[in-house]
Amino acid sequence: MALTPSSYVVLGMLNIGARSGYEIKRFVELSARFFWAISPVQIYPELKRLEEAGLIRGSDDQRGGRRRRLFELTPLGRETLRDWLRNEEDPTVEWRDKGLLKLFFADALGPEDSVELVRALRERAERLARSFRTEIVPAAEATSLAQGTYYTALLARFGLEFNEWIVAWCLGVERDLVEAARPAKGAGKPRVGPTHGEASR
Amino acid sequence: MALTPSSYVVLGMLNIGARSGYEIKRFVELSARFFWAISPVQIYPELKRLEEAGLIRGSDDQRGGRRRRLFELTPLGRETLRDWLRNEEDPTVEWRDKGLLKLFFADALGPEDSVELVRALRERAERLARSFRTEIVPAAEATSLAQGTYYTALLARFGLEFNEWIVAWCLGVERDLVEAARPAKGAGKPRVGPTHGEASR
DNA sequence: TAGGACATGTAATGCGTTACATGATTAT
DNA sequence: ATAATCATGTAACGCATTACATGTCCTA
């Protein structure tokens, strides 16, 4: 059987303490979703496949009328996860950002509308940063503490710092745009050139 | 007819100077690909659809035996693009990064193997930063100059600075990992805690 | 004269999301 | 009582990638 990235998400989540499909879903929502989304519709069939392959072991946990199935990694499953983590295929990235895409085409707009696109991007990053600060980082740190893990919290902080960096970048661009608009008396677009440069470093 | 993000990529690329399907493909490879990938198989049918909808106008350009079709935006097409850029739907992001995903699960590994994951992430970002510096930014600045655009070059610089930020973040983590390994005599994993904190800001 | 860039496609496959469905338990 | 959360799925759809196909022109 061929293992997909989704398989490894499931294996990895079981390894850091998730036990049921539902818990995997919640873990993902609170962390991995930002760099690897996966939905319940993928999780449950995946659990079945992994169990058939002997990588995880499931047991029924009937509490009252509510059924649920608890899983744990088998030694084979743990080794399979570790092998994947260690193997050297180039780690692919796919980034699909409608906000950046719109900004890329912003020359089609006048200055007032285009600065609005930067602002929308910044506000999104501010919202995300806020949710990292108040929800995701604390939850990840709780998990790290409970499970004795390090990278759970590290990646949550990465998400926070990344969004803060985006905010800073947007603010730099917004500053440049108003400055470029001033001397030309609000008329022209800013020209290509040095601009705000090293906003971060 | 319903317009998809791919439709707007095509419209947007025509707006900043691409003329044929092939040129759109090349433009995308040199810029938008990093925040919105799209392949030839999507571009050509899309051109057909947009022409049928009256958003672009195509003409045959037979140079010798080599056929090619040149397109330009119609006024309606340009207005459609501008409307999309101005409308306020939340700009969705999707990030799918196998490197970050692996790092997230790195607790399954020992310290030597897990630092290797950070290094792989950093090296990828370094490669990307290099390709931005030597290829993408120069190409984008040439386009900006030729077409009188601003955001083409801006977004290329964004890609460069973003990858440089990733490199800096990885270096911070790598530093923390070796420091955490030293006092414990190479035995333990680093614990949850303050760590390198504000590597950037 | 062979390889690479130019130029445009078709067909098959697969992956993932959306919408929908079901039922139990806990909190308000 | 009602809503929210727990818990697990099915079915349909659509979008995007992969592999393949074709032919031209230019350069080394």
Side-chain angles (χ1 to χ4, degrees):
Chain A
M1 87 174 278
L3 295 183
T4 66
S6 298
S7 317
Y8 294 107
V9 171
V10 169
L11 292 177
M13 287 297 175
L14 292 174
N15 187 56
I16 60 172
R19 291 167 306 164
S20 65
Y22 191 75
E23 282 187 7
I24 292 173
K25 170 192 162 265
R26 273 195 353 207
F27 268 57
V28 167
E29 264 168 19
L30 253 73
S31 48
R33 145 168 88 103
F34 295 97
F35 42 84
W36 202 282
I38 174 176
S39 70
V41 237
Q42 299 165 261
I43 293 171
Y44 290 106
E46 195 59 52
L47 284 167
K48 211 164 270 180
R49 290 178 63 231
L50 292 172
E51 189 175 16
E52 281 161 17
L55 301 177
I56 64 179
R57 186 175 25 246
S59 62
D60 284 313
D61 174 77
Q62 197 86 13
R63 288 219 279 224
R66 181 137 91 202
R67 79 201 156 126
R68 116 177 132 146
R69 221 169 143 64
L70 296 180
F71 295 91
E72 53 180 354
L73 289 178
T74 62
L76 177 62
R78 179 165 285 108
E79 217 22 69
T80 304
L81 174 63
R82 290 161 56 87
D83 284 346
W84 177 68
L85 291 175
R86 274 193 294 247
N87 86 351
E88 324 227 353
E89 12 133 55
D90 53 355
T92 53
V93 228
E94 268 170 72
W95 194 357
R96 203 149 257 263
D97 191 322
K98 223 185 263 179
L100 287 175
L101 182 63
K102 283 191 176 187
L103 191 59
F104 184 73
F105 293 134
D107 288 294
L109 298 175
E112 302 81 13
D113 287 326
S114 51
V115 78
E116 189 49 49
L117 289 176
V118 188
R119 204 171 296 140
L121 211 51
R122 171 169 58 81
E123 275 158 16
R124 188 188 67 187
E126 281 169 347
R127 270 196 307 279
L128 283 171
R130 195 155 39 241
S131 93
F132 268 95
R133 230 183 322 260
T134 63
E135 288 179 70
I136 295 162
V137 170
E141 277 172 351
T143 301
S144 268
L145 212 59
Q147 305 289 333
T149 59
Y150 175 73
Y151 293 93
T152 320
L154 182 72
L155 271 286
R157 285 196 300 272
F158 170 85
L160 172 59
E161 289 170 29
F162 167 72
N163 279 291
E164 287 173 343
W165 182 83
I166 297 283
V167 170
W169 185 82
C170 288
L171 285 172
V173 173
E174 289 174 66
R175 207 170 42 242
D176 285 355
L177 289 176
V178 291
E179 260 169 41
R182 217 190 309 282
K185 273 275 180 303
K189 252 182 278 185
R191 301 304 304 169
V192 188
T195 69
H196 77 295
E198 325 302 84
S200 57
R201 298 253 286 274
Chain B
M1 87 175 275
L3 295 183
T4 66
S6 297
S7 317
Y8 294 109
V9 171
V10 169
L11 292 177
M13 287 297 175
L14 291 175
N15 187 56
I16 59 173
R19 292 166 306 165
S20 65
Y22 191 75
E23 282 187 6
I24 293 173
K25 169 193 163 265
R26 273 195 352 208
F27 268 57
V28 167
E29 265 168 20
L30 253 74
S31 49
R33 145 168 88 104
F34 295 95
F35 42 85
W36 202 281
I38 176 175
S39 69
V41 236
Q42 298 165 260
I43 294 170
Y44 291 107
E46 195 59 53
L47 284 167
K48 210 164 269 181
R49 291 179 62 229
L50 292 172
E51 187 174 18
E52 280 160 18
L55 301 177
I56 64 179
R57 185 174 27 245
S59 61
D60 283 314
D61 174 76
Q62 198 87 13
R63 287 221 278 223
R66 181 137 91 200
R67 75 198 161 133
R68 111 175 134 151
R69 221 168 143 65
L70 296 181
F71 295 91
E72 53 180 353
L73 289 178
T74 62
L76 177 62
R78 179 165 285 106
E79 217 21 70
T80 305
L81 173 63
R82 290 162 57 86
D83 284 347
W84 176 68
L85 292 174
R86 274 192 295 248
N87 87 350
E88 324 227 352
E89 13 133 56
D90 53 354
T92 53
V93 227
E94 266 171 74
W95 196 359
R96 205 149 254 264
D97 190 322
K98 223 184 264 181
L100 287 174
L101 182 64
K102 283 191 175 186
L103 191 59
F104 183 73
F105 292 135
D107 288 293
L109 298 175
E112 301 81 13
D113 289 326
S114 51
V115 78
E116 191 47 51
L117 289 176
V118 187
R119 203 169 298 139
L121 212 51
R122 170 169 57 80
E123 275 158 15
R124 187 188 67 190
E126 281 168 347
R127 269 196 308 277
L128 283 170
R130 195 156 38 238
S131 93
F132 269 95
R133 229 184 322 260
T134 63
E135 288 179 71
I136 297 162
V137 170
E141 277 172 353
T143 302
S144 268
L145 211 59
Q147 305 290 333
T149 60
Y150 175 74
Y151 292 93
T152 318
L154 182 72
L155 269 285
R157 284 195 301 270
F158 170 86
L160 172 60
E161 291 170 27
F162 167 72
N163 279 292
E164 287 172 343
W165 182 84
I166 297 282
V167 170
W169 185 84
C170 288
L171 285 173
V173 173
E174 289 174 66
R175 207 168 44 239
D176 285 356
L177 289 176
V178 291
E179 262 169 39
R182 216 189 310 280
K185 273 276 183 299
K189 254 180 278 187
R191 300 304 306 170
V192 187
T195 70
H196 77 296
E198 325 301 86
S200 58
R201 300 247 291 274

